[in-house]
């Protein structure tokens, strides 16, 4: 029963990847016993031994290690090692191959333990409570085996590979560009595994900011998902069409388009239809359901980011938990989802009445639990622009950072220009005349 749970391709590709790239051994956490095919476990044991000794790990040294132990012939000789290297697509998929091998091993072990438990339950000569206790202990170890701590050399190797890759193409924006030049310059763009919490009083353009970023990210080849819990999908896409076509929202709502407007509208519709954005306007989402849907979109469409507009409408604990507890659970779960699925997230969140009245833009005015501000990696507040002269400038919005894990100064701010007639912001150019 257990021998059907294994993947020959994943095992072959993982061993082949390690033979091609010595860094794989330090990057993945796989034991020889995790392989179902015995010779793969033997080769892996040789690889681990060489890595432990600090010896060079390659085809030649692995052959010598296996030969010194009289096992080279057992694994199929050097010809089999060459075959594994030639048939492995790329060492870049090693982490995925390792996850499959570990998961299959855990499943085989779980089935074995379940079989042991059934056998013990029918053996009246054994002390049932003691036997069951031992099996359950083993089962717990199996369930948590993929989450255990490993040598940090695995993560050092990942960091080295990351820096090496970026050194080949150095640039100021190393994350996903949002199109807001000042934001991208200060943060490096949206970062995968991180949550950007976007807040501010109503009417300051939080949804517009997020939608505009979504269009730019998708246009530049970064697929993502947009969950509009507050607005109908039709209203969201109408905003997108106005921005992309540069036809005023009022004209689209009234239908009073001249021929030139109509042509721009049709062109924008055709361009937006091709963007890899996946959207839902359902109001029934829980964080568990969101995680499941994002996992599906990641697997099927390769999404890199998600936007939640807005988080307090997520159903977790609705009507059962306090506002403090709800916001803490929701943000914690969204942060876990971003980290687990390697996605960048923009989460729109509201402010308290006191926070709305505070023109300085303190993150203390963010609604709900203070844990929200800890779980967020970046906090951005949209505020009325308050020039030194006194009166707010109605043509501008100030975007103030409340937090930024990787920023040299997490209290910086920048300005955005409201584009008249369109649901969009422009990048503020200090030396250029502002649009009225």
């Amino acid at each position: 029963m257990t021998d059907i749970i294994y993947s020959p391709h994943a095992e072959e590709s993982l061993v082949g990847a390690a033979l091609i790239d010595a860094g794989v051994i330090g990057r993945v956490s796989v034991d020889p016993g995790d392989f179902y095919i015995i010779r793969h476990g033997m080769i892996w044991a040789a690889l681990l031994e060489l890595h432990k000794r600090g010896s060079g790990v390659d085809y030649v040294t692995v052959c010598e290690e296996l030969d010194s132990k009289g096992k080279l012939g057992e694994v199929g000789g050097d010809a089999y090692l060459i075959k594994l290297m030639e048939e492995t697509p790329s060492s870049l998929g090693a982490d995925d191959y390792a996850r499959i091998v570990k998961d299959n091993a855990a499943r085989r072990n779980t089935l074995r333990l379940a079989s042991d438990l059934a056998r013990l339950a029918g053996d009246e000569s054994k002390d049932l409570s003691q036997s069951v206790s031992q099996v359950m202990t083993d089962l717990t170890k199996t369930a948590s085996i993929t989450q255990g701590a490993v040598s940090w050399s695995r993560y050092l190797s990942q960091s080295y590979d990351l820096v090496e890759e970026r050194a080949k193409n150095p640039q100021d924006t190393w994350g996903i560009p949002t199109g807001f030049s000042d934001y991208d310059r200060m943060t490096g763009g949206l970062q995968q595994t991180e949550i950007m919490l976007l807040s501010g009083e109503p009417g300051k353009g939080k949804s517009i900011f997020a939608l505009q970023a979504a269009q730019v990210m998708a246009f530049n080849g970064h697929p993502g998902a947009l969950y509009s819990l507050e607005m109908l999908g039709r209203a969201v896409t109408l905003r997108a069409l106005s921005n992309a076509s540069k036809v005023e929202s009022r004209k689209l709502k009234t239908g009073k388009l001249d021929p030139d407007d109509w042509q721009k509208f049709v062109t924008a519709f055709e361009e937006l239809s091709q963007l890899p954005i996946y959207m839902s306007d359902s109001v029934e989402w829980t964080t568990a359901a969101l995680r499941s849907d994002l996992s599906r979109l990641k697997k099927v469409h390769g999404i890199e980011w998600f936007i939640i507009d807005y988080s307090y409408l997520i159903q977790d604990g609705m009507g059962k938990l306090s506002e403090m507890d709800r916001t803490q659970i929701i943000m914690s779960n969204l942060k876990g989802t971003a980290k687990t699925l390697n996605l960048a997230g923009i989460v729109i969140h509201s402010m308290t009445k006191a926070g709305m009245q505070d023109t300085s833009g303190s993150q203390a005015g963010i609604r709900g639990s203070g844990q929200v501000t800890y779980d967020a990696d970046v906090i951005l507040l949209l505020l009325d622009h308050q020039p030194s002269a006194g009166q707010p400038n109605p043509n501008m919005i100030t975007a103030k950072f409340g937090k930024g894990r990787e920023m040299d100064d997490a209290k910086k701010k920048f300005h955005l220009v409201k584009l008249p007639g369109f649901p969009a912001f422009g990048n503020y150019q200090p030396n250029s005349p502002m649009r009225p």
Side-chain angles (χ1 to χ4, degrees), residues 71-241:
K71 295 181 178 180
L72 184 58
E74 288 186 55
V75 303
D78 55 359
Y80 186 66
L81 299 186
I82 293 173
K83 174 178 177 290
L84 292 178
M85 294 169 66
E86 290 178 341
E87 295 182 358
T88 298
S90 168
S91 63
L92 296 177
D95 291 321
D96 291 328
Y97 306 143
R99 277 193 289 271
I100 295 171
V101 170
K102 291 288 289 185
D103 182 68
N104 287 340
R107 291 177 187 277
R108 290 196 303 272
N109 198 39
T110 300
L111 284 174
R112 179 185 63 77
L113 291 171
S115 178
D116 289 347
L117 193 59
R119 178 176 52 80
L120 289 169
D123 188 349
E124 297 182 3
S125 66
K126 300 286 186 181
D127 181 341
L128 184 61
S129 61
Q130 183 175 352
S131 298
V132 169
S133 177
Q134 182 58 53
V135 172
M136 293 307 294
T137 298
D138 292 342
L139 189 60
T140 301
K141 291 178 181 178
T142 295
S144 61
I145 193 170
T146 59
Q147 301 176 27
V150 297
S151 170
W152 80 329
S153 62
R154 171 182 178 182
Y155 303 105
L156 286 170
S157 296
Q158 292 175 357
S159 296
Y160 183 92
D161 292 343
L162 177 65
V163 174
E164 183 180 44
E165 182 63 29
R166 287 179 178 172
K168 296 176 183 176
N169 182 29
Q171 51 190 317
D172 292 331
T173 302
W174 58 89
I176 305 173
T178 65
F180 296 109
S181 56
D182 288 325
Y183 179 89
D184 293 337
R185 176 176 54 81
M186 294 178 183
T187 65
L190 285 187
Q191 305 297 321
Q192 288 173 280
T193 75
E194 295 188 358
I195 292 288
M196 188 263 271
L197 185 72
L198 183 61
S199 191
E201 65 177 289
K204 292 297 172 281
K206 300 184 295 294
S207 298
I208 292 172
F209 183 100
L211 176 61
Q212 195 168 336
Q215 291 173 249
V216 171
M217 292 188 292
F219 182 80
N220 285 289
H222 301 281
L226 170 59
Y227 296 89
S228 177
L229 283 74
E230 188 173 31
M231 296 174 61
L232 288 174
R234 182 180 62 201
V236 174
T237 52
L238 197 63
R239 283 182 168 183
L241 285 163

Side-chain angles (χ1 to χ4, degrees), residues 228-391:
S228 177
L229 283 74
E230 188 173 31
M231 296 174 61
L232 288 174
R234 182 180 62 201
V236 174
T237 52
L238 197 63
R239 283 182 168 183
L241 285 163
S242 175
N243 182 20
S245 66
K246 292 299 178 281
V247 177
E248 294 183 9
S249 297
R250 182 174 181 79
K251 288 185 177 182
L252 296 182
K253 292 175 180 177
T254 61
K256 296 180 179 180
L257 285 72
D258 58 37
D260 184 54
D261 290 332
W262 184 254
Q263 182 56 52
K264 289 191 291 185
F265 172 76
V266 171
T267 300
F269 171 79
E270 292 173 348
E271 290 177 350
L272 293 182
S273 295
Q274 303 302 314
L275 294 183
I277 297 177
Y278 306 90
M279 187 171 72
S280 166
D281 65 354
S282 171
V283 296
E284 300 299 324
W285 288 105
T286 62
T287 52
L290 283 167
R291 180 176 183 143
S292 177
D293 197 45
L294 287 168
S295 179
R296 174 186 66 85
L297 292 170
K298 173 88 173 181
K299 184 178 297 184
V300 177
H301 300 292
I303 63 167
E304 300 175 22
W305 54 266
F306 65 88
I307 293 171
I308 307 295
D309 186 10
Y310 79 101
S311 62
Y312 199 69
L313 293 178
I314 292 175
Q315 296 294 301
D316 292 31
M318 187 76 79
K320 299 177 182 177
L321 300 178
S322 68
E323 179 179 281
M324 301 286 281
D325 291 339
R326 283 194 66 229
T327 53
Q328 180 175 341
I329 290 171
I330 289 169
M331 184 55 67
S332 177
N333 288 345
L334 291 176
K335 172 60 180 175
T337 295
K339 184 177 179 181
T340 302
L341 298 180
N342 193 33
L343 298 173
I346 297 178
V347 175
I348 296 178
H349 196 68
S350 56
M351 301 194 79
T352 62
K353 289 183 179 179
M356 295 177 196
Q357 295 167 0
D358 180 7
T359 58
S360 66
S362 169
Q363 66 183 44
I366 294 175
R367 184 177 184 178
S369 169
Q371 186 65 35
V372 169
T373 62
Y374 286 98
D375 288 329
D377 299 279
V378 175
I379 296 176
L380 188 66
L381 307 171
L382 299 188
L383 312 166
D384 282 325
H385 179 56
Q386 300 282 349
S388 55
Q391 289 298 318

